[in-house]
Amino acid sequence: MATGTGTTTGAGAPTHGHGHGVPAEFLAGFSEALADVSLSCRTLTRAERESRRVLGEQAADAGIGLRELTAGHLAAARRAWATLPGVTGARDPGDLRRTGAAVLAALEAGVHALAEGHARAQRHAVRRAEAERRAFVDDLLYGRSDPGRIAEQAERFGLRLAERHTVVVAAAPGEPYDERHPLLRRVERELAGRFGDHDALVVPKDGRLVCVVPTEQQPVLDAFVKLAAAEEDGGRVAVSRAHSGAAGVVRSYEEALSALDLAERLALEPRVLLAADLLVFPVLMRDRAAMSDLVQSVLGPLRDARGGAAPLLETISAYAASGYVNAEAARRLDLSVRALAYRLERIAALTGFAPDDPLQRYTLETAALGARLLGWT
């Protein structure tokens, strides 16, 4: 049966002439070194081992696999065996054994040096690829390069930027996400196993895990969100709205980061945040001066309360989050209903806005949100 461009032997292994498809320059000097070893029974010199390492690197750069390279050297040693001076000139079995042991030791050292050089080249190639990937991700997420160039680069990473994409960002409060984090490996393995050749880009960035996925591949997005949200350390996952083009990816990334920032500042409970659900907050903060004036005018008097403004501000937020149900708000605050009622009375007395009045409590709630967004207490 044909395999690649070569033919097969009876054992089914492909052969490509005498060197198993390995060009002669990657075998250069090996038979000669073995011939000299067979005469003196010496070991390979440092220079000879280093030359094998260099040839191993060059072979890897040329796209020759370690298996083929090793097979080529073993074949060269086998062909040379019958003509080695130390073998043909052996006078007794003891000489032949010593020569054979020396040649085998040299063969082992040579192949080991080849493997070291081959692995060294592969490590360099991986580092180069990782550096290119990091540079591309920076350009993509921050919009630092020409859109046409970014689109061309994106094709190499499986992204077609003419489509609409959603960006998901996962953040963990503990150990930051990086190339060695187990979640990255788990996500890559799960997505590859379930969806095969998908077009999502999953990368760690600034301690977070970022997933850029075409909107047409919603199952991939859902799987990523589920895996990231299942982390036991209490992290959050933010999902942007879908946007088109390279500029759209930048916008989506910024939306997801903004959602994470809002969740942190507002102490939002959900683990999974949808940017579309948080659009009201950028609107509220669009006029920062007006929001600051609202906070100071409505909530400023709370600073005169015993214990400061923080407990009463927390009460306003918990009351709104509970749907203005006293029993639920008291449970959230770990208070009795009577203690909650006292706090609500103090808020009304100090601010002039009654939490039980539908219009006035909206003003209080908006001011409380603004206070958390501005870091006011």
Side-chain angles (χ1 to χ4, degrees):
M1 180 180 71
T3 303
T5 59
T7 58
T8 58
T9 66
T15 60
H16 305 262
H18 295 301
H20 285 254
V22 179
E25 60 263 31
F26 298 118
L27 304 172
F30 195 58
S31 296
E32 291 79 0
L34 293 181
D36 192 58
V37 167
S38 75
L39 284 173
S40 61
C41 292
R42 65 174 177 83
T43 59
L44 289 184
T45 66
R46 177 179 297 179
E48 287 170 331
R49 293 196 301 273
E50 182 57 29
S51 72
R52 290 302 111 188
R53 291 190 186 94
V54 172
L55 287 173
E57 275 193 88
Q58 293 173 349
D61 291 338
I64 299 173
L66 182 59
R67 179 178 178 181
E68 290 76 21
L69 189 62
T70 302
H73 279 74
L74 293 176
R78 186 179 66 250
R79 291 193 304 273
W81 172 257
T83 61
L84 294 177
V87 174
T88 58
R91 297 179 180 179
D92 57 57
D95 289 341
L96 186 59
R97 283 195 295 271
R98 283 191 295 275
T99 298
V103 171
L104 287 174
L107 177 60
E108 180 182 12
V111 169
H112 182 72
L114 282 168
E116 286 182 336
H118 200 278
R120 186 164 60 192
Q122 289 185 318
R123 288 195 297 272
H124 291 165
V126 168
R127 283 196 288 270
R128 286 195 300 271
E130 289 177 347
E132 291 176 1
R133 183 182 175 92
R134 285 193 294 270
F136 165 72
V137 169
D138 285 345
D139 289 344
L140 175 68
L141 297 181
Y142 297 140
R144 293 175 177 170
S145 185
D146 175 70
R149 179 173 173 271
I150 284 291
E152 182 179 343
Q153 288 181 306
E155 292 284 348
R156 294 168 46 200
F157 295 95
L159 292 178
R160 293 183 292 275
L161 294 183
E163 301 176 356
R164 290 168 61 82
H165 287 79
T166 301
V167 175
V168 186
V169 180
E175 179 185 359
Y177 294 125
D178 57 22
E179 296 285 354
R180 296 175 297 277
H181 198 284
L183 177 62
L184 176 59
R185 301 286 173 254
R186 188 158 60 250
V187 166
E188 290 176 338
R189 187 169 55 249
E190 179 76 11
L191 296 186
R194 290 182 56 185
F195 305 104
D197 188 18
H198 58 80
D199 293 331
L201 176 67
V202 181
V203 292
K205 182 62 183 168
D206 297 334
R208 305 179 184 93
L209 198 58
V210 179
C211 179
V212 183
V213 58
T215 54
E216 65 185 28
Q217 295 189 7
Q218 185 68 34
V220 177
L221 186 152
D222 293 340
F224 177 86
V225 170
K226 183 176 181 180
L227 288 166
E231 285 288 275
E232 297 179 356
D233 55 9
R236 297 183 190 273
V237 183
V239 183
S240 77
R241 294 179 296 165
H243 299 289
S244 300
V249 173
V250 176
R251 183 178 178 186
S252 293
Y253 180 58
E254 291 175 346
E255 282 186 357
L257 291 181
S258 177
L260 289 173
D261 178 61
L262 284 170
E264 182 70 22
R265 290 156 67 184
L266 297 176
L268 300 180
E269 294 182 2
R271 294 281 297 275
V272 178
L273 307 160
L274 301 181
D277 293 343
L278 303 177
L279 291 177
V280 66
F281 297 107
V283 173
L284 289 175
M285 291 301 294
R286 191 161 294 164
D287 190 338
R288 193 179 183 91
M291 177 58 75
S292 180
D293 183 51
L294 174 68
V295 170
Q296 185 59 40
S297 298
V298 174
L299 303 179
L302 297 183
R303 285 176 167 161
D304 296 331
R306 181 181 300 176
L312 298 180
L313 186 60
E314 182 185 17
T315 300
I316 295 171
S317 298
Y319 194 42
S322 67
Y324 302 100
V325 177
N326 288 30
E328 175 61 20
R331 186 191 65 79
R332 288 173 180 248
L333 293 167
D334 197 23
L335 296 173
S336 66
V337 174
R338 183 175 180 179
L340 172 70
Y342 173 75
R343 284 194 182 185
L344 294 177
E345 290 173 0
R346 290 294 299 152
I347 291 169
L350 289 168
T351 65
F353 291 87
D356 293 329
D357 180 273
L359 182 59
Q360 293 184 10
R361 71 187 181 196
Y362 174 76
T363 301
L364 281 171
E365 181 182 353
T366 303
L369 284 173
R372 291 158 74 182
L373 289 169
L374 294 171
W376 181 94
T377 53

